[in-house]
Amino acid sequence: MNIYRYEENPLVTPMDVTAHRPDFEVIGAFNAGITTYNDEIIMLLRVAERPISEDPNIVKAPIYNHKTRELEILELNLDDPQYDFSDPRTIKKAGNPHGFVYLTSLSYLRIARSKDGHHFTIDEKPFVYPSNELETFGIEDPRITKIEDTYYIYFSAASPVGVGESMVSTKDFVTTEHHGMIFAPENKDVLIFPEKINGKYYALHRPVPKSVGEPEIWIAESTNLLHWGNHKHLLGLREGMWDSARMGGGAVPFKTEKGWLELYHGATSDHRYCMGAVLLDLEDPTKVIARSNQPIIEPEADYEVEGFFGNVVFSCGAVVEGDVVKMYYGVADTSMACAEFSLQEILDSLTYL
Ligand code: MAN
């Protein structure tokens, strides 16, 4: 597979973004939703910020209080035996490696715009910010599906009661309407198809079952984009392969002559995130036609390997022009990059079932 990584990579880094308040620092500008609007590429960044800590022994956890609409800052001591600080992204209860009690940063969504797809200008203000009790730990990893003249933006909403998927919509990237939570916890990586198929909307989603089952990709249908049903299990993990431990949809599925192409991420148990593809039937996207046995792109460049959480290639969006797939992707939970592929080469690389 020929991969053309942009020379300007990483295209946006935390250093390009000013914190939304003076006592905070930006530690991530990554996992952005991608769309085009008014001849510009919009990169809806997940910006992660944390309160600046002067004391290296103190970790400050930011929490949005939906009643006061202010951030509260919790101070935790690194020596406190109650907590486990080993994962830089989360604070866990000691002795419980599953789940977390706080996040080490708060994420919100901010717009970056570009005419050429290589150079981006970042808006001064947040675009979507936590606004309710299901978003108190922040909002993350947006995707954008354009249907007619409306852009549907959906993202992980994190709070002490779980991480689910919420949705807002906009027509102008100025004002938004909040539609609430569309997939209950734990669920992430929702991808809404850009058009109705046989009269129904479809979405991929990634629940995390607790007693039996794995974090795998499901598909659901809807008539109004808000209420989703007829859930079906679509794609499972594969032992010993690049998608053996967890997986989730990446870019919004797009139509090819062979089927709907979905670029999805898979990870191994040591948290190495790669990107591969799955091809779904054009008339019935609950049918899998083909899949990548090898990843299409894996963490290799410095900026993919090193960072806040290294060895992560994570796409939330692609721009497709003829045979060229421009995939914008988050690297190492830190920055944004772009790589181009040939659509034909991706289709040829798949293993047909
Ligand atoms: C995981 C990671 C983090 C994220 C939390 C909550 O730990 O994906 O980046 O903040 O989940 O969604």
Side-chain angles (χ1 to χ4, degrees):
M1 175 91 50
N2 289 301
I3 303 177
Y4 165 53
R5 288 174 167 90
Y6 285 5
E7 282 93 29
E8 298 91 345
N9 278 352
L11 304 178
V12 174
T13 75
M15 293 202 309
D16 303 323
V17 185
T18 40
H20 79 301
R21 37 187 275 180
D23 54 336
F24 274 51
E25 58 187 344
V26 176
I27 57 165
F30 62 119
N31 297 4
I34 299 291
T35 193
T36 50
Y37 174 69
N38 279 353
D39 302 325
E40 287 188 323
I41 293 186
I42 298 250
M43 195 191 254
L44 187 57
L45 297 164
R46 167 182 175 187
V47 173
E49 294 190 16
R50 71 178 170 208
I52 295 168
S53 177
E54 296 78 19
D55 182 342
N57 262 328
I58 299 286
V59 175
K60 295 184 175 179
I63 299 163
Y64 173 79
N65 181 326
H66 69 281
K67 292 194 184 121
T68 61
R69 300 182 178 199
E70 301 280 346
L71 292 185
E72 280 166 12
I73 296 163
L74 213 79
E75 300 203 357
L76 303 170
N77 201 306
L78 269 183
D79 305 325
D80 190 334
Q82 283 188 78
Y83 299 111
D84 170 353
F85 297 96
S86 60
D87 185 324
R89 305 171 299 181
T90 59
I91 300 161
K92 298 188 172 96
K93 268 256 166 349
N96 181 5
H98 305 290
F100 59 84
V101 282
Y102 303 112
L103 294 177
T104 53
S105 63
L106 181 102
S107 293
Y108 63 87
L109 312 183
R110 192 142 143 191
I111 298 173
R113 302 164 199 267
S114 174
K115 294 253 185 255
D116 66 3
H118 292 249
H119 304 90
F120 285 83
T121 313
I122 298 152
D123 281 11
E124 282 303 307
K125 296 244 154 63
F127 178 55
V128 188
Y129 196 77
S131 64
N132 63 47
E133 67 268 47
L134 298 176
E135 301 173 353
T136 56
F137 287 161
I139 59 180
E140 310 173 342
D141 304 349
R143 272 75 164 186
I144 308 171
T145 300
K146 185 184 184 203
I147 300 175
E148 285 151 25
D149 63 345
T150 305
Y151 295 82
Y152 294 90
I153 299 166
Y154 35 98
F155 46 82
S156 306
S159 78
V161 294
V163 184
E165 192 86 3
S166 291
M167 185 165 82
V168 304
S169 62
T170 185
K171 287 186 196 295
D172 55 10
F173 287 93
V174 178
T175 56
T176 56
E177 185 184 346
H178 204 306
H179 302 284
M181 190 165 270
I182 55 170
F183 285 90
E186 178 164 338
N187 212 314
K188 284 185 173 183
D189 302 320
V190 169
L191 268 321
I192 298 178
F193 286 66
E195 59 187 72
K196 279 186 176 166
I197 303 162
N198 289 322
K200 286 177 195 124
Y201 294 112
Y202 282 87
L204 306 177
H205 63 105
R206 203 289 308 275
V208 183
K210 275 265 157 66
S211 60
V212 62
E214 300 286 348
E216 299 180 325
I217 300 178
W218 288 62
I219 188 163
E221 56 183 55
S222 172
T223 52
N224 61 7
L225 299 168
L226 298 175
H227 306 110
W228 295 91
N230 199 14
H231 297 265
K232 288 179 180 153
H233 180 265
L234 185 73
L235 208 62
L237 300 173
R238 295 178 296 183
E239 222 180 304
M241 294 178 76
W242 62 277
D243 47 5
S244 58
R246 42 197 318 120
M247 64 195 314
V252 174
F254 54 90
K255 244 178 173 170
T256 72
E257 55 184 44
K258 292 264 175 74
W260 288 99
L261 193 68
E262 166 59 17
L263 302 172
Y264 72 95
H265 65 263
T268 50
S269 54
D270 54 357
H271 303 291
R272 188 167 189 268
Y273 281 76
C274 298
M275 184 67 48
V278 60
L279 193 66
L280 306 174
D281 190 280
L282 279 180
E283 291 298 310
D284 177 7
T286 69
K287 282 194 192 138
V288 176
I289 301 174
R291 188 171 174 183
S292 299
N293 278 351
Q294 301 295 328
I296 292 171
I297 182 168
E298 49 191 312
E300 280 170 341
D302 295 348
Y303 49 83
E304 297 164 353
V305 173
E306 314 267 330
F308 180 71
F309 196 80
N311 279 315
V312 175
V313 160
F314 189 96
S315 170
C316 301
V319 176
V320 185
E321 286 164 4
D323 186 55
V324 182
V325 178
K326 302 177 180 179
M327 191 188 82
Y328 289 87
Y329 60 107
V331 291
D333 280 10
T334 306
S335 303
M336 283 300 297
C338 186
E340 291 185 2
F341 310 92
S342 147
L343 177 56
Q344 194 56 51
E345 281 188 27
I346 294 179
L347 292 172
D348 290 345
S349 74
L350 302 177
T351 302
Y352 287 74
L353 305 180

